[in-house]
Amino acid sequence: MNVLVTGGAGYIGSVVTRVLMREGHDVAVFDSLVTGHRGAVPRGVQLHVADTRDTVAVRGALRDHRAEAVVHLAAISQVGTSVLDPRGYFDNNVRGSLSLLDAMLAENVGRIVFSSTAAVYGEPEVCPIDEAAPTQPKSPYGDTKRMIETVLQRYGAAYGLEHTSLRYFNAAGAMPDAGEDHRPETHLIPKLFQSALGQAPPVTVFGTDYPTPDGTCIRDYIHVEDLARAHTLALGALSREGRVYNLGCGGGFSVQQVLDAARRVSGCPIAVQLGARREGDPAILVASSARIAAELGWRPAYPGIDEILTHAWDWMSKHPNGYDD
Ligand code: UFG
């Protein structure tokens, strides 16, 4: 299929681009490069540098690529920042998505895979979380993703748009030529390795008094390549009714366990300091991915935390300056 990947110069989007190409799709990337990197887009792939809020530019890219489907990842995605800047988040993520959908309808592109998030669940009442759990986002970021899931449902019913939403848990790891390069970095795993490389001060562990076995937060880390493979499966199973799928490995790891694994994998001591809780962090976020396993046959190829961290460490130690080197 001819696929336009929005946000394809970002961490997850650049891996999605590679995996779609490996599966035989013809991919073009649409990215504003505000947080993405030109160097993350594989050589030979057409890159359209523009904002999704620019409907004319999106229409041009869809036409240019003769797109048959869109994988829509372009968004700003930090939970904490979104609380301070809801306007920026609604504008970028909601208005950007509506503009993209306008362009798709105008150009008769009727298929979309949407990048959603575990943040739609807020503070979950059950664990592991399945897709039937109530969605009560605690942040504007989660709100924006939940809103677009709703828009897609309505557009499917009214305009026949075929869609699937994938709710990502904690993406981590790397491919040999594509890894994580956020500026500033806020995510636990790359921060630990930046510290191991001597590029950043000791990481603060956000809270040691959670109701978990070691007192630190538990998250469901999923290898970014496993996450990306789910997009190719989703593209083959789109429908007007639309399906929503969780994407995690179903086994949680605490911040302390991730730290221990990062020390093992890097061979570096990695100093940390113990700090207060970060506002808005639920104690435990673990996915049930039973639905996507049953309906699309998805299984993680890299469910172990050491393997995920080994791939992240390989990329970061070979690219200490991210995409700048
Ligand atoms: N953490 C620390 N110290 C740090 C950074 C993180 O202790 O310096 C902890 C956090 O408190 C959390 C865990 O490490 O318990 C993971 O934190 P990340 O910042 O790496 O990831 P989040 O779980 O906060 O968020 C990620 C994505 C979101 C998405 C969410 C869904 O960044 O976009 O997963 O689970 F919504």
Side-chain angles (χ1 to χ4, degrees):
M1 238 191 273
N2 290 352
V3 184
L4 187 70
V5 178
T6 74
Y11 167 48
I12 299 175
S14 65
V15 174
V16 167
T17 296
R18 283 164 173 76
V19 170
L20 287 171
M21 291 168 73
R22 193 173 69 193
E23 303 277 329
H25 295 287
D26 193 339
V27 181
V29 166
F30 188 99
D31 198 297
S32 68
L33 297 185
V34 170
T35 55
H37 306 277
R38 195 177 287 276
V41 178
R43 225 173 285 135
V45 169
Q46 174 83 45
L47 168 64
H48 300 265
V49 182
D51 195 298
T52 47
R53 288 167 290 194
D54 182 347
T55 316
V56 174
V58 182
R59 285 187 66 169
L62 292 170
R63 266 202 309 274
D64 203 51
H65 191 54
R66 297 176 195 278
E68 297 162 281
V70 171
V71 177
H72 178 38
L73 298 102
I76 41 177
S77 62
Q78 283 180 22
V79 172
T81 315
S82 77
V83 177
L84 303 172
D85 178 26
R87 180 168 170 237
Y89 272 72
F90 287 112
D91 194 60
N92 203 312
N93 294 2
V94 177
R95 194 153 72 83
S97 298
L98 292 175
S99 158
L100 168 74
L101 291 169
D102 281 346
M104 289 176 64
L105 292 176
E107 298 296 333
N108 290 314
V109 180
R111 302 187 184 103
I112 184 167
V113 176
F114 176 59
S115 152
S116 187
T117 172
V120 299
Y121 294 113
E123 186 83 47
E125 283 155 19
V126 289
C127 179
I129 308 165
D130 67 26
E131 293 85 350
T135 50
Q136 305 158 331
K138 281 178 73 179
S139 65
Y141 168 63
D143 287 332
T144 66
K145 294 291 184 175
R146 180 72 192 92
M147 286 164 85
I148 298 305
E149 287 187 6
T150 304
V151 169
L152 292 175
Q153 293 293 343
R154 298 297 190 193
Y155 280 31
Y159 313 125
L161 184 72
E162 296 186 355
H163 59 102
T164 293
S165 295
L166 301 176
R167 293 177 177 163
Y168 309 160
F169 283 64
N170 287 61
M175 286 181 85
D177 62 341
E180 203 159 357
D181 181 5
H182 297 114
R183 303 179 192 193
E185 189 53 75
T186 61
H187 295 103
L188 177 65
I189 293 170
K191 279 178 81 175
L192 289 173
F193 286 146
Q194 282 179 347
S195 179
L197 290 165
Q199 296 174 330
V203 171
T204 301
V205 174
F206 294 143
T208 51
D209 59 349
Y210 282 98
T212 59
D214 64 24
T216 65
C217 282
I218 293 177
R219 292 288 179 274
D220 189 339
Y221 296 90
I222 171 173
H223 195 293
V224 65
E225 195 174 330
D226 284 328
L227 191 71
R229 269 192 312 106
H231 295 70
T232 64
L233 297 172
L235 267 181
L238 297 166
S239 66
R240 288 180 63 157
E241 295 71 36
R243 291 300 272 161
V244 171
Y245 296 110
N246 283 343
L247 274 174
C249 286
F253 293 93
S254 70
V255 173
Q256 182 62 51
Q257 286 174 314
V258 172
L259 169 62
D260 293 341
R263 286 173 171 153
R264 270 197 305 278
V265 160
S266 66
C268 300
I270 312 184
V272 293
Q273 53 194 29
L274 306 182
R277 293 182 178 198
R278 183 173 66 177
E279 208 188 324
D281 270 344
I284 304 177
L285 266 182
V286 174
S288 162
S289 296
R291 180 186 282 181
I292 193 165
E295 295 184 10
L296 304 187
W298 178 83
R299 299 272 183 295
Y302 306 110
I305 194 73
D306 278 38
E307 219 167 359
I308 292 174
L309 288 178
T310 299
H311 291 184
W313 174 244
D314 280 352
W315 194 82
M316 287 191 69
S317 46
K318 285 187 189 128
H319 303 271
N321 301 314
Y323 284 103
D324 280 351
D325 56 7

